[in-house]
Amino acid sequence: MTNGANDVLDVTIDGTVARLTITRPDKRNAVSDTLMDALGAFFANPPKDVRIVILSGEGDHFSAGLDLSEHVARDAAETMRHSRNWHRIMDLIQFGGLPVISVLRGAVIGGGLELAAATHIRIADPSTFYQLPEGRRGIFVGGGASVRIGKILGADRMIEMMLTGRKYTAEDGLRLGLSHYVCDSATEAEAKANELAAKVADNAQLSNYIMIQALARIEDMAKADGLFTESLCAALTQTSDDAREGLNAFLEKRAPNFK
């Protein structure tokens, strides 16, 4: 089933998998407010049967970042509200409860890298490159990079990346954690996304939900608080019907059938 959300984001539902494709190839899939609103609308109310999302960009690039051609002059208060709205939408992607796989190629720059960093599994092809050029444009990140990308790279490396506008290659990104996989071609990257989507969608939904909700937050907690939260998550998952099915499947040497 296909549901074109609008002219910037194509939404196709294939069983339990939602395929979201940014459809602005003439703009290198630059991030606009219209695109962010479309992403926010989907993740705020995804179709009931969807268990996983694959996010990609049409053409040769995932996303070249903020669409500067649509830049609107704002005062400080308006700029802060605009940034906070992007934070809200990125949080919907990261914490909405659905695992999200991003398929990266070509430019993954600025806001495009912020968008990728909000996804849970990132797969790159050899053409992928990463950049945070805000320092060269007299601005600062506003879509969550200082937190999400800062956690991946560490503040020291992110400062250097922003000050210099340095580009990282696909292999650099794998080494640094900007992606989890690098495949030999775009076709193989898409195949890997499909393979992992099928595997993750077969997990118990409660376990997937708890992993998405808890782990990034536990990282921000003090040790004692994190361990207490871990115990709560274990109690929720290990007393569920899915946990009983998983144990029985293991003992009976068969694949589990999670509801």
Side-chain angles (χ1 to χ4, degrees):
M1 179 180 70
T2 299
N3 175 23
N6 50 45
D7 61 356
V8 298
L9 185 70
D10 180 74
V11 180
T12 301
I13 309 300
D14 181 10
T16 59
V17 181
R19 303 179 189 277
L20 274 57
T21 306
I22 305 170
T23 55
R24 308 188 76 207
D26 56 321
K27 295 275 193 177
R28 297 202 299 169
N29 294 320
V31 182
S32 64
D33 288 339
T34 303
L35 172 61
M36 292 301 293
D37 288 344
L39 288 166
F42 175 86
F43 283 101
N45 188 28
K48 181 177 65 174
D49 294 332
V50 167
R51 293 192 175 193
I52 193 162
V53 176
I54 298 176
L55 175 64
S56 61
E58 182 181 338
D60 295 331
H61 301 280
F62 176 73
S63 175
L66 182 66
D67 189 344
L68 294 178
S69 70
E70 295 186 5
H71 177 72
V72 175
R74 300 181 179 92
D75 63 21
E78 290 170 331
T79 300
M80 186 168 182
R81 291 189 189 98
H82 183 260
S83 171
R84 293 297 289 156
N85 185 54
W86 277 41
H87 291 166
R88 177 186 66 82
I89 295 167
M90 297 293 189
D91 279 350
L92 280 174
I93 296 169
Q94 183 177 4
F95 296 114
L98 288 175
V100 184
I101 299 173
S102 53
V103 183
L104 310 178
R105 64 183 310 189
V108 186
I109 298 175
L113 183 50
E114 289 176 318
L115 179 58
T119 68
H120 307 103
I121 301 173
R122 297 179 293 279
I123 304 170
D125 77 11
S127 71
T128 304
F129 62 94
Y130 308 91
Q131 191 177 22
L132 291 173
E134 285 79 3
R136 305 297 298 166
R137 295 173 182 163
I139 58 177
F140 191 75
V141 293
S146 58
V147 173
R148 290 187 178 88
I149 301 169
K151 282 186 176 181
I152 294 169
L153 296 178
D156 179 74
R157 191 174 291 275
M158 186 173 171
I159 290 168
E160 188 274 341
M161 188 179 183
M162 290 184 67
L163 286 173
T164 64
R166 176 179 184 169
K167 290 182 182 178
Y168 284 121
T169 66
E171 289 299 328
D172 292 331
L174 179 65
R175 174 173 54 85
L176 295 169
L178 294 173
S179 76
H180 302 101
Y181 302 85
V182 173
C183 297
D184 290 335
S185 68
T187 299
E188 290 189 21
E190 291 168 4
K192 186 68 174 178
N194 291 332
E195 172 198 335
L196 292 176
K199 179 182 290 188
V200 174
D202 277 346
N203 291 345
Q205 290 188 76
L206 178 61
S207 290
N208 281 351
Y209 184 83
I210 293 293
M211 286 184 277
I212 287 169
Q213 295 295 329
L215 289 171
R217 292 184 167 99
I218 287 172
E219 185 180 29
D220 291 335
M221 294 179 182
K223 178 181 176 181
D225 297 332
L227 291 172
F228 180 75
T229 302
E230 177 184 275
S231 295
L232 290 176
C233 294
L236 285 172
T237 56
Q238 293 175 21
T239 57
S240 68
D241 290 340
D242 284 334
R244 285 185 282 274
E245 167 60 14
L247 176 60
N248 289 335
F250 175 77
L251 294 174
E252 296 167 9
K253 296 182 168 54
R254 60 175 175 82
N257 180 25
F258 297 122
K259 303 300 184 185

